[in-house]
Amino acid sequence: MTRIVIDPITRIEGHLRIEAVVEGNRIIDAVSAGTVFRGIEKIVENRDPRDVWAFVQRICGVCTHIHALASIRAVEDALDIRIPKNANYIRNIMTATQFVQDHVIHFYHLHGFDWIDVVSALKADPVQTSALARSISNWPNSSDGYFRDVQTKVKTLVESGQLGIFANAYWGHPAYRLPPEANLMGVAHYIEALSWQKEVAKIHTIFGGKNPHPNYLVGGMASTLNMDDNSVINMERLNLVKTKIDEAQVFVDQVLIPDIFAIASFYKQDLYGGGGGNYLAYGGIPIGDIREPESFLFPSGVVLDRDLSKVYDIDLKDPKQIQEFVSHSWYRYDDPKAGLHPWQGKTEASYDGPRPPYTNVDEKKGYSWIKAPRWQGHAMEVGPLARFVIAYARGNKEIKGLVDDALQRLDLPVTALFSTLGRTLARALESKYLVNQLAGFYSDLVANIKAGDSQTFNGEKWEPEKWPAQAQGVGFAEAPRGALGHWVKINNGKVSDYQAVVPTTWNASPRDDSGQKGPYESSLLDTPIVNEDQPLEVLRTIHSFDPCLACATHLLTPTGEEILKVRIL
Amino acid sequence: MGILRRQVYVWQFPIRLFHWVNAVAITVLFLTGMYIGYPIFVSPGEAVQNFFMGNVRYWHGVFAYAFTTNMLFRLYWYWAGNEYSKFRFWKKDFWQDVVATFKYYTFLAPEHTVKVGHNALAQLMYLIFIWISSLFMIFTGFAMRGGSNPNGILQTLFGWVVVNFRGEYQVRNLHHLVAWGYAIFLLSHLYMVIRQDLLDDDGTISSMVNGYKFMICKDALEEETQERLLKK
Amino acid sequence: MSESESYYQLARRRGVTRRDFLKFCALTGAMLGLDATEFPKIVQALESKPRLPVIYLNLQECTCCTESLLRSAHPLISDLIFNMISLDYMEPLQAAAGKQAEEVRLKTMKEYPGAYLLIVEGSATLGDGGVYCTIGGKSSTELLKEVADGAAAVIAYGSCATNACVQGAYPNPTQAVPIRKVVKNKPVIDVPGCPPIAEVITGTIVHYLTYGKIPELTNLGRPKAFYQHRVHDNCVRRAFFDAGQFVETFDDAGAKQGWCLYKIGCKGPTTYNACAITEWNDGVSYPIKSGHPCIGCSENNYFDNTPFYTRLASIPNNAIGKDADTIGAGILGLTGIAVAAHAGMTAVVKNHEKNRKESNHDKNRN
């Protein structure tokens, strides 16, 4: 039995540590620990609620806009502020843009090297690579000369001895299953996606002024619309949005989706990493208003134990449903075993872990800066797979169609979704689902402007004098990484309490008082490990969740079993 | 009842000039400054036809230079001027007079030490409200102006100020805050001047125009004597 | 560029003379406190080793800076990391993980002492012995010191690294501090912003690469090329400011004509950044142009100089707790009351004195 430690987990957002216990080439226990804390929930206390979005937006620069959105929704919920239609369309465009951009970055730049072996790409035949690329897609960059150039580029890099970001990785690991040609195609698309992602982000820049961290506004959007003025958002700006939407559509259809199917077809026997099997989604992207769940593009709900026949409803305001526990986290509650609903939540740091530098965390105490959120006591997985599982179980036609079609193409059963590969597949299908919607949102916006409505902001309750002395609200959204909720309490015009329960808090949560593992931890169980020195499979599964540790940060689970040797990786 | 007085030439012309230039400059600077901080007027029409804020900032700048030059001139006059253009806070009687005058103004003492020029408390107030705060305003003000031309002389001379406040926001905020000191000073100053003029009947107000104050004759200070003289 | 060049070749191609190159090497050596006999080693290292080795540390941050770096349009990020520099360690991008990642970092530190560039995203944290951010079981602040020790120069990239950003805002629970507070023995280039514009950071890196020295800095320690002008002074809405045309509330008639956002809290007048000139995401827009006031994200303490939607002068001074106008007008009012009271008191006292004198006269006469 070996205990392996991977810290830092790279190609994620933030700082994550994984310790896994391996026996007979299988993981039998795992611990995940978030190792950074910033205390933003404390910092926003006593601030103007209209400002808070900017603070909490800085929870994460990869998710970049979604915390701001959840925050303004929380304040709008507390103060009962209704936003104009245009503001909702713009928010939807920005949200869908973020999903597509983020999913592509995740697949190629964070997750890609778990599937694609760069060094193997050197052995590829560019002519065959070209043939492969053209057989799966109409994407124009697919000539043999093009792939030869890419290969030369990688070759000179490798031969220079300075491999840069490619240095010292698990190249040649037996768990890589792609032929050299597919690897070369993957590397080429890695570079192309790097150039493309900055283009689609321009949609954020137009409406939010910048990306990362575009600007938001309680009560609507600050980006004024006027088709008859050249200083604000006019047809030229909207045309740029439309152009980027069209480009995104092409990229997803001709690069991401064909790549996913090509890669998945080589990995479809690797169906480990399913984990606990409980899925949760708050629902989101409202076509109408956030108060109209029936208009959501993603339905909300809970699926327990992979049982698609039953979907439970979820209520974010019910103090019994969503609770956070801290018995294995570095925080203090009055009752250490209690679970607190976010409105009652506390963020009081209380570190009882090992003093750095350390080699292992002590799982009997707290071991993570992440709290353990639970839905009615259950650890829940959130993210693209959770959204798709719930939409599938709810019978959402479009999503069901996408999933069934994909499974049929890969010749896999529905249960194959509950795996590392399923998570990655769901994320790609979600990109497809949303990029299809983007053009629709854009049309909605243009049609509404055409109908004479150019309002983007509702200032009726802008001034604090119009607010009740006490108010509380919850703002939620589906973030690229899963269900996101912000809970706010406002007291005499100032924030008195603030809690964010973010997707990675759900996924990376440590154990709770009853010993129930968080989704990362349970998903690692039973994962085969070919080479303990190179735990590629661990990275693959952890990356399939798209961890975002600045958002959440802490996980680790040990058992009391004997550990023969500790190996730091 | 009457009192015998003699005319004393207190405020030399440069001092009076300084005073009124200062008064006008501070008034203009305060009003334009407040407008810059809180622009309440809205210009109609196209931007190109208007330059209201631009002009306000321009005049704020012009008077800032006038104000600064005036202050420098006054510094020079400290040495060049007559006895009443100086003050010596390092002397013991200065501080004794501060205490005495303070007692007088707080009704703890019935009479004050009669000074031909300023009393020590007044001088102290000028030191704080005119000299120290103006030094602050000049440095912070020019530091902000300097930002418009990062390679210019103002930036070279005053750029360090921003660094000391860890950024320009704080400089601006404090510049605005200290500006209120002038309004507070003006109110107190006007009150004190009028009060002085009324109570001591020494021509304090007109002295800043013609330079002369009217001082009670030294040998006639005694009330009895005066009355006797009057009876005759 | 199809083949990899040495750092020296790259510098030459970009117009740096051999003489300047040697001077740079000597300066680098001097900064390290190396003996003059060591200089040839640096020269040789940079001449023969292909690309400038770069170590990029992510400390206490949100990774928005990394994301921004990826958005660079000129140079393209792929051009930067594959052709210009050797990005040996950068957690969000590098393929290796765990111990293998650490090995790469240690190798670069060992092979290029005094020659690698260190880019730091995120703040250092001093609270509770550094437990608020650990990497590989080590306090990230210690890690920073260790890596900075052998670096030629340090770029503090983003507002976390230059001013501790949001985690440094009151009450700063983790004692987050800027990189400058921890790294004192190396030249530190501050590149602030939350995040900085992509082309600003890549511009700074390529400047260093091309001219072989750190760029000229403003008196706040930031590259003059990007931070010497106020956003306000180059703002696309500046004409409306000068005209005196201001947006009063969001989406009002003024807003629909793109008027100045000064009165709804724009921090452009006190913010030094390239937003209004370089603009964001390959010159598409920047916050003010898109209708939202600048929040001053490149300035120190910008999260404490709030609320955001209040005109500059009305923002409470965070040292005093009230805004300038409230304090000023308040004290002025108190002064007015005091003046009135004093005038009244004077009248009473003088009247009393007069009466006393008169009664004295009467007594004397009697």
Coordinates of all heavy atoms in Angstrom, one line a residue, chain A residues 210-246:
Chain A
K210 N -14.2 44.7 -20.4 CA -12.9 44.0 -20.4 C -13.2 42.5 -20.1 O -14.2 42.1 -19.7 CB -12.0 44.6 -19.3 CG -12.5 44.4 -17.8 CD -11.9 45.4 -16.9 CE -10.7 44.9 -16.1 NZ -11.2 44.4 -14.8
N211 N -12.1 41.7 -20.3 CA -12.2 40.3 -20.0 C -10.7 39.9 -19.7 O -9.9 40.2 -20.6 CB -12.8 39.5 -21.1 CG -12.7 38.0 -20.8 OD1 -11.6 37.4 -20.9 ND2 -13.7 37.3 -20.3
P212 N -10.4 39.3 -18.7 CA -11.2 38.8 -17.5 C -11.8 40.0 -16.7 O -11.4 41.1 -16.8 CB -10.2 38.0 -16.7 CG -9.1 37.7 -17.6 CD -9.0 38.8 -18.5
H213 N -12.8 39.6 -15.9 CA -13.5 40.5 -15.0 C -14.2 41.6 -15.7 O -14.0 42.8 -15.4 CB -12.5 41.0 -13.9 CG -12.0 40.0 -13.0 ND1 -12.7 38.9 -12.7 CD2 -10.8 39.9 -12.3 CE1 -12.0 38.1 -11.8 NE2 -10.8 38.8 -11.5
P214 N -15.2 41.3 -16.5 CA -16.1 42.3 -17.1 C -16.9 42.9 -16.0 O -17.1 42.4 -14.9 CB -16.9 41.5 -18.1 CG -16.9 40.1 -17.6 CD -15.6 39.9 -16.9
N215 N -17.4 44.1 -16.3 CA -18.2 44.8 -15.3 C -19.7 44.5 -15.3 O -20.3 44.2 -16.4 CB -18.1 46.3 -15.5 CG -16.7 46.8 -15.2 OD1 -16.2 46.6 -14.1 ND2 -16.0 47.4 -16.1
Y216 N -20.2 44.5 -14.1 CA -21.7 44.2 -13.9 C -22.3 45.3 -13.2 O -21.7 46.2 -12.7 CB -21.8 42.8 -13.2 CG -21.9 41.7 -14.2 CD1 -20.8 41.0 -14.6 CD2 -23.2 41.3 -14.7 CE1 -20.9 40.0 -15.5 CE2 -23.3 40.3 -15.6 CZ -22.1 39.6 -16.0 OH -22.2 38.6 -16.9
L217 N -23.6 45.2 -13.1 CA -24.4 46.3 -12.4 C -25.6 45.8 -11.8 O -26.4 45.1 -12.5 CB -24.7 47.4 -13.5 CG -25.4 48.6 -13.0 CD1 -24.5 49.4 -12.1 CD2 -25.8 49.5 -14.1
V218 N -25.9 46.1 -10.5 CA -27.1 45.7 -9.9 C -28.2 46.5 -10.6 O -28.2 47.7 -10.7 CB -27.0 46.1 -8.4 CG1 -28.4 46.0 -7.7 CG2 -26.1 45.1 -7.7
G219 N -29.2 45.8 -11.0 CA -30.4 46.4 -11.6 C -30.3 46.4 -13.2 O -31.2 46.9 -13.8
G220 N -29.3 45.8 -13.7 CA -29.3 45.7 -15.2 C -27.9 45.5 -15.7 O -27.1 44.7 -15.1
M221 N -27.5 46.2 -16.7 CA -26.2 46.2 -17.2 C -25.8 47.7 -17.5 O -26.6 48.5 -17.9 CB -26.1 45.4 -18.5 CG -26.2 43.9 -18.4 SD -25.0 43.1 -17.3 CE -23.5 43.3 -18.2
A222 N -24.5 48.0 -17.4 CA -24.0 49.3 -17.6 C -23.8 49.7 -19.1 O -23.7 50.8 -19.4 CB -22.7 49.6 -16.8
S223 N -23.8 48.6 -19.9 CA -23.5 48.9 -21.3 C -24.8 49.4 -22.0 O -25.7 48.7 -22.3 CB -23.1 47.6 -22.0 OG -23.9 46.5 -21.6
T224 N -24.8 50.7 -22.2 CA -26.0 51.4 -22.8 C -26.1 51.1 -24.2 O -25.2 51.0 -25.0 CB -25.8 52.9 -22.6 OG1 -25.2 53.2 -21.3 CG2 -27.1 53.6 -22.8
L225 N -27.4 50.9 -24.6 CA -27.7 50.6 -26.0 C -28.3 51.9 -26.7 O -29.2 52.5 -26.1 CB -28.7 49.5 -26.1 CG -28.4 48.1 -25.5 CD1 -29.7 47.3 -25.5 CD2 -27.3 47.5 -26.3
N226 N -27.7 52.2 -27.8 CA -28.3 53.3 -28.6 C -27.9 53.1 -30.0 O -26.7 53.3 -30.4 CB -27.9 54.7 -28.1 CG -28.6 55.8 -28.8 OD1 -29.3 55.6 -29.8 ND2 -28.5 57.0 -28.3
M227 N -28.9 52.7 -30.9 CA -28.5 52.4 -32.3 C -28.2 53.7 -33.1 O -27.8 53.6 -34.2 CB -29.7 51.6 -32.9 CG -29.9 50.3 -32.3 SD -28.5 49.2 -32.3 CE -28.2 49.1 -30.5
D228 N -28.5 54.8 -32.5 CA -28.3 56.1 -33.2 C -27.2 56.9 -32.6 O -27.3 58.2 -32.6 CB -29.6 56.9 -33.3 CG -30.7 56.0 -33.9 OD1 -30.4 55.5 -35.0 OD2 -31.8 55.9 -33.3
D229 N -26.2 56.3 -31.9 CA -25.1 57.1 -31.4 C -23.8 56.3 -31.5 O -23.9 55.1 -31.5 CB -25.4 57.4 -29.9 CG -24.5 58.5 -29.4 OD1 -23.3 58.2 -29.1 OD2 -25.0 59.6 -29.3
N230 N -22.8 57.0 -31.8 CA -21.5 56.2 -32.0 C -20.7 56.1 -30.7 O -19.6 55.6 -30.8 CB -20.7 56.9 -33.1 CG -20.3 58.3 -32.8 OD1 -20.6 58.8 -31.7 ND2 -19.5 58.9 -33.7
S231 N -21.2 56.6 -29.6 CA -20.4 56.5 -28.4 C -20.7 55.3 -27.5 O -20.0 55.0 -26.6 CB -20.6 57.7 -27.5 OG -20.4 58.9 -28.2
V232 N -21.8 54.6 -27.8 CA -22.2 53.5 -26.9 C -22.4 52.3 -27.8 O -21.8 52.2 -28.9 CB -23.5 53.9 -26.2 CG1 -23.2 54.9 -25.1 CG2 -24.6 54.3 -27.1
I233 N -23.2 51.3 -27.3 CA -23.3 50.1 -28.1 C -24.3 50.3 -29.2 O -25.5 50.6 -29.0 CB -23.8 48.9 -27.2 CG1 -22.7 48.8 -26.2 CG2 -24.1 47.7 -28.0 CD1 -22.5 47.5 -25.5
N234 N -23.8 50.2 -30.4 CA -24.6 50.4 -31.6 C -24.4 49.2 -32.5 O -23.9 48.2 -32.1 CB -24.2 51.7 -32.3 CG -22.7 51.8 -32.6 OD1 -22.1 50.7 -32.7 ND2 -22.2 53.0 -32.8
M235 N -24.9 49.4 -33.8 CA -24.9 48.2 -34.7 C -23.5 47.7 -34.9 O -23.3 46.5 -35.0 CB -25.5 48.6 -36.0 CG -26.2 47.5 -36.7 SD -27.5 46.7 -35.6 CE -27.0 45.0 -35.8
E236 N -22.5 48.6 -35.0 CA -21.1 48.1 -35.2 C -20.7 47.2 -34.1 O -20.1 46.1 -34.3 CB -20.2 49.3 -35.3 CG -18.7 49.0 -35.5 CD -17.9 48.8 -34.2 OE1 -18.3 49.3 -33.2 OE2 -17.0 48.0 -34.2
R237 N -21.0 47.6 -32.8 CA -20.6 46.7 -31.7 C -21.4 45.4 -31.7 O -20.8 44.4 -31.5 CB -21.0 47.5 -30.4 CG -20.2 48.8 -30.2 CD -18.9 48.6 -29.5 NE -17.8 48.5 -30.4 CZ -16.6 48.4 -30.1 NH1 -16.2 48.3 -28.8 NH2 -15.6 48.3 -31.0
L238 N -22.7 45.5 -32.0 CA -23.5 44.3 -32.1 C -23.0 43.3 -33.2 O -23.0 42.1 -33.0 CB -24.9 44.6 -32.2 CG -25.6 45.3 -31.0 CD1 -27.0 45.6 -31.3 CD2 -25.5 44.4 -29.8
N239 N -22.5 43.9 -34.3 CA -22.0 43.1 -35.4 C -20.8 42.4 -35.0 O -20.6 41.2 -35.4 CB -21.7 44.0 -36.6 CG -23.0 44.3 -37.4 OD1 -24.0 43.5 -37.3 ND2 -23.0 45.4 -38.2
L240 N -20.0 43.0 -34.2 CA -18.8 42.3 -33.7 C -19.2 41.2 -32.8 O -18.6 40.1 -32.9 CB -17.9 43.3 -32.9 CG -16.5 42.8 -32.3 CD1 -15.7 42.1 -33.4 CD2 -15.7 44.0 -31.8
V241 N -20.2 41.4 -32.0 CA -20.7 40.3 -31.1 C -21.1 39.1 -32.0 O -20.8 38.0 -31.8 CB -21.9 40.8 -30.3 CG1 -22.5 39.6 -29.5 CG2 -21.4 41.8 -29.2
K242 N -21.9 39.5 -33.0 CA -22.4 38.4 -33.9 C -21.3 37.7 -34.6 O -21.4 36.4 -34.7 CB -23.4 39.1 -34.9 CG -24.1 38.1 -35.9 CD -25.0 37.2 -35.1 CE -25.9 36.3 -36.0 NZ -25.3 35.5 -36.9
T243 N -20.3 38.4 -35.1 CA -19.2 37.8 -35.8 C -18.5 36.8 -34.8 O -18.2 35.6 -35.3 CB -18.2 38.8 -36.2 OG1 -18.9 39.8 -37.0 CG2 -17.1 38.2 -37.0
K244 N -18.3 37.2 -33.6 CA -17.6 36.3 -32.7 C -18.5 35.1 -32.3 O -18.0 34.0 -32.1 CB -17.2 37.0 -31.4 CG -16.2 38.1 -31.6 CD -14.9 37.6 -32.3 CE -14.2 38.7 -33.0 NZ -13.1 38.1 -33.9
I245 N -19.8 35.3 -32.3 CA -20.7 34.2 -32.0 C -20.6 33.2 -33.2 O -20.5 31.9 -33.0 CB -22.2 34.6 -31.9 CG1 -22.3 35.4 -30.6 CG2 -23.1 33.5 -31.9 CD1 -23.7 36.0 -30.4
D246 N -20.6 33.7 -34.4 CA -20.5 32.8 -35.6 C -19.2 32.0 -35.6 O -19.2 30.8 -35.9 CB -20.6 33.6 -36.9 CG -22.0 34.2 -37.0 OD1 -22.9 33.7 -36.3 OD2 -22.2 35.1 -37.9

